[in-house]
Amino acid sequence: MRGLSYVDISYNELEGPIPDSRAFRDAGFEALQGNKGLCGNVQGLEPCKPSVKQKDNTKKNRKVMFSIIFFPLLGVLLLLLALSGIFFIRGKRKKDPQVEKGNLPSKNVFSISTFDGKTMYEEIIRATEDFHASYCIGKGGFGSVYKVELPSADIVAVKKLHSLSDSQYTSQKEFLNEIKVLLEIRHRNIVKLHGFCSSARYSFLFYEYLERGSLASVLSKEVTAKELDWNKRVDIVKCVSHAHSYMHHDSFPPIVHRDISSSNILLDTNYVAHISDFGTAKILKPDSSNCTAFAGTYGYVAPELAFTTKITEKCDVYSFGVIVLEVIKGEHPGDIITTLSSTWTEENMLTEDVLDQRLPPPSRNVVHELRNMVEIAIQCLNADSQSRPTMGMISKLFLSSSIRKRKRLYQS
């Protein structure tokens, strides 16, 4: 496979000499680790010991080859040394100060990407001026997000991860496997992950960039909140439900996000919602316990996580219920959650405590949809996780209501 440009054979317990091809010579240690028996002329590997037959052939050919190649090779080496000296002196004079600081990557850049990972790494470092604070558009528990304009991929959002601790390095293989799964996600309401790059200096993920930012940011400002009318808000709730349903029921293996909040729901130019930030995402393995340390945003976390570390998709269902009420109210519902759960009936009207007062009263058709959404949200917020509906059920309910709405519009 002489045309092979990149290879990753890590953690396969392989033995013997690696092939003498460009892909293996250029492979970094990350691509070859976990194979104690490998040998070859690559940094980090033991050199291979020559066989007896190779030694015999070498002795026979040595005298013949010496006279053929020694003098021409000596001339070539002298020429290369002279050229190297010239280029070294010229390069030292013109060297970019950014390069002197080590901002450009080393040869051992590890990447999992839908683009050329090493090229993308270099472009991101240059475009952000070594992750200058002026390009930062947000910060979270797992890293900082930067808006980056690239010549090869327009605008992307780059999440530079915080430095990993020793304990986190032990689970790096599992993390990389999860990244590979997330790269395969194809859904219009999930932010597209383009890839992951890592070197000794930086590790970051890069996503598609969505212009209007987070739902939390839009709702927090009066001007942008008023632009988010009732129809747009209803559509946002439906989009988030469809994305959840895809992750829980149509992805293999299933994915639970674990940190759904209004800050992790991004809006594009047309106010279409996209779920983002899978920094705490957990791939649900049917044969594992899926127990983990606490992760999530307070105010959105399911109550059972206060006394257990077992993660299920019902944790996302609870967070979705909070999001529904937040979209309708225009702010985090807070104590209304417990009040609604105990007093709400089908005959209840949508009161000022539930509706965002910055918007005009909703029309009759929208009121019907909002009441249905509040009812669904209350079911999602049930303290008993087993009594909560699945996201597949919720998504189908919203799909059927959209079909009925379209039929009414067509008939009118």
Side-chain angles (χ1 to χ4, degrees):
M1 300 180 67
R2 297 296 177 184
L4 188 65
S5 60
Y6 174 79
V7 66
D8 185 348
I9 58 171
S10 58
Y11 298 99
N12 281 286
E13 301 296 334
L14 300 178
E15 300 178 351
I18 63 171
D20 185 22
S21 66
R22 183 172 63 86
F24 282 89
R25 289 194 298 269
D26 293 345
F29 178 71
E30 293 89 349
L32 302 175
Q33 63 184 333
N35 300 284
K36 295 183 179 179
L38 287 185
C39 66
N41 190 24
V42 173
Q43 185 177 2
L45 296 183
E46 294 290 335
C48 298
K49 297 180 181 179
S51 63
V52 176
K53 187 175 181 180
Q54 286 176 326
K55 291 180 180 178
D56 293 339
N57 290 337
T58 301
K59 290 179 180 179
K60 292 179 181 179
N61 296 330
R62 187 175 297 166
K63 294 181 179 180
V64 178
M65 294 301 294
F66 179 81
S67 59
I68 295 175
I69 68 172
F70 176 74
F71 292 106
L73 181 60
L74 181 61
V76 172
L77 288 175
L78 291 174
L79 179 60
L80 288 174
L81 287 173
L83 291 174
S84 298
I86 294 171
F87 284 117
F88 177 77
I89 294 171
R90 291 182 64 185
K92 193 172 183 179
R93 290 175 182 173
K94 298 181 179 181
K95 200 168 187 180
D96 191 323
Q98 293 289 336
V99 177
E100 289 179 358
K101 293 179 182 179
N103 293 336
L104 290 182
S106 65
K107 292 181 181 180
N108 297 323
V109 175
F110 176 75
S111 67
I112 306 174
S113 175
T114 54
F115 297 96
D116 183 334
K118 293 185 179 181
T119 300
M120 182 64 71
Y121 184 101
E122 295 178 6
E123 288 186 4
I124 289 173
I125 299 297
R126 291 193 181 98
T128 59
E129 300 178 48
D130 195 26
F131 289 106
H132 191 273
S134 60
Y135 296 90
C136 184
I137 58 175
K139 294 183 178 181
F142 291 85
S144 300
V145 181
Y146 297 78
K147 178 183 177 181
V148 185
E149 295 187 34
L150 299 174
S152 63
D154 298 324
I155 300 177
V156 296
V158 176
K159 184 166 189 177
K160 182 169 73 71
L161 303 176
H162 298 320
S163 299
L164 295 176
S165 63
D166 293 337
S167 61
Q168 286 172 307
Y169 272 117
T170 60
S171 61
Q172 187 179 38
K173 181 183 178 183
E174 182 178 359
F175 169 74
L176 295 177
N177 287 337
E178 291 184 11
I179 292 296
K180 291 176 182 177
V181 173
L182 298 178
L183 280 170
E184 299 300 319
I185 289 179
R186 297 289 187 277
H187 194 279
R188 67 185 299 268
N189 299 122
I190 297 178
V191 176
K192 175 58 184 171
L193 173 64
H194 292 307
F196 167 73
C197 290
S198 178
S199 73
R201 188 171 177 80
Y202 295 123
S203 294
F204 52 78
L205 302 136
F206 47 102
Y207 303 82
E208 66 173 317
Y209 175 76
L210 297 178
E211 299 81 357
R212 297 195 182 274
S214 71
L215 174 63
S217 176
V218 171
L219 290 175
S220 66
K221 303 168 186 174
E222 186 169 354
V223 174
T224 53
K226 287 181 178 180
E227 293 176 359
L228 204 62
D229 60 36
W230 291 118
N231 286 318
K232 290 188 179 76
R233 297 191 187 201
V234 168
D235 288 339
I236 286 172
V237 170
K238 291 180 179 179
C239 288
V240 174
S241 75
H242 300 329
H244 267 100
S245 178
Y246 172 86
M247 289 191 299
H248 292 179
H249 305 288
D250 299 321
S251 175
F252 185 80
I255 301 170
V256 59
H257 189 288
R258 298 173 61 209
D259 192 17
I260 291 296
S261 69
S262 55
S263 297
N264 291 333
I265 297 172
L266 304 183
L267 307 178
D268 63 17
T269 305
N270 299 317
Y271 294 98
V272 175
H274 301 70
I275 291 180
S276 72
D277 198 353
F278 288 83
T280 59
K282 178 73 177 177
I283 308 301
L284 282 179
K285 302 179 181 64
D287 57 345
S288 71
S289 64
N290 293 301
C291 291
T292 182
F294 177 84
T297 302
Y298 287 102
Y300 299 86
V301 178
E304 63 266 20
L305 291 183
F307 52 84
T308 180
T309 56
K310 186 175 183 180
I311 298 296
T312 71
E313 68 277 2
K314 293 300 179 73
C315 299
D316 280 352
V317 175
Y318 182 92
S319 301
F320 174 76
V322 179
I323 290 293
V324 173
L325 296 182
E326 183 173 357
V327 170
I328 297 173
K329 183 175 172 57
E331 62 183 9
H332 191 279
D335 295 335
I336 293 179
I337 292 176
T338 54
T339 304
L340 282 176
S341 300
S342 59
T343 63
W344 180 268
T345 63
E346 292 184 7
E347 290 74 26
N348 276 133
M349 300 293 290
L350 294 170
T351 63
E352 292 182 358
D353 293 336
V354 178
L355 296 177
D356 190 343
Q357 297 302 300
R358 294 171 294 185
L359 296 183
S363 65
R364 182 180 301 176
N365 288 337
V366 175
V367 165
H368 178 72
E369 291 208 68
L370 293 177
R371 287 181 52 162
N372 287 340
M373 287 182 173
V374 172
E375 199 169 328
I376 290 172
I378 292 172
Q379 295 177 40
C380 294
L381 296 169
N382 196 311
D384 180 8
S385 61
Q386 297 302 315
S387 299
R388 297 170 198 157
T390 66
M391 290 311 305
M393 296 164 56
I394 296 170
S395 177
K396 288 178 181 177
L397 283 173
F398 287 143
L399 280 174
S400 60
S401 67
S402 297
I403 292 171
R404 288 196 299 269
K405 183 178 179 181
R406 285 196 294 269
K407 285 182 177 179
R408 287 197 298 270
L409 290 172
Y410 179 76
Q411 291 168 355
S412 62

